[in-house]
Amino acid sequence: MGERRQTDPAPYFSTHIFMCCNRRPEGHERGCCASKGSEKIRDYMKARVKELGIKNVRVNQAGCLDRCELGPCAVFYPEGVWYRLDSFAAVDEVLEKHLKEGGRVAELMLP
């Protein structure tokens, strides 16, 4: 399960980023990414990907990714790497190091 096969079509995007924008009621015990600014961060990330000319990347809004306490969070596929992206600076760092350089930003990665 989860492995690519030779007969599968090529991936449409080289990287697919899902940013949690789930909104829970005010005061919910788990919190939510939207109340921590994830919608603005998602919009910023979409614009920056375009501005930086990074091709074959899709930034999507996701519902709950079930890591509410650690958010705002995003997951990058196909790698399955999770990041806490709580600022525009964090987005810039991840776009540069993860997408452009092929590395990782260890201090922003979620376990």
Side-chain angles (χ1 to χ4, degrees):
M1 185 168 103
E3 292 183 35
R4 290 194 47 77
R5 298 179 181 179
Q6 279 186 321
T7 56
D8 289 345
Y12 192 74
F13 300 109
S14 59
T15 301
H16 208 143
I17 303 167
F18 293 94
M19 182 80 197
C20 182
C21 293
N22 189 53
R23 187 171 296 281
R24 292 185 191 274
E26 190 73 30
H28 191 280
E29 64 185 29
R30 292 190 70 197
C32 69
C33 289
S35 71
K36 299 172 190 169
S38 65
E39 293 162 333
K40 288 181 181 175
I41 291 167
R42 179 216 49 226
D43 291 346
Y44 178 80
M45 185 167 23
K46 286 178 85 161
R48 288 297 288 156
V49 164
K50 199 175 276 191
E51 287 170 9
L52 294 169
I54 302 171
K55 302 293 183 203
N56 289 328
V57 172
R58 178 72 178 185
V59 178
N60 275 108
Q61 172 175 316
C64 185
L65 294 174
D66 202 31
R67 302 193 83 181
C68 314
E69 297 83 358
L70 303 173
C73 62
V75 59
F76 286 51
Y77 287 111
E79 301 93 332
V81 174
W82 291 74
Y83 287 106
R84 182 173 202 276
L85 299 177
D86 62 354
S87 68
F88 295 161
V91 168
D92 287 337
E93 187 173 7
V94 168
L95 293 180
E96 182 65 33
K97 292 202 172 118
H98 189 110
L99 292 183
K100 292 181 85 180
E101 297 174 11
R104 301 292 184 265
V105 184
E107 62 273 10
L108 296 176
M109 288 173 69
L110 297 177

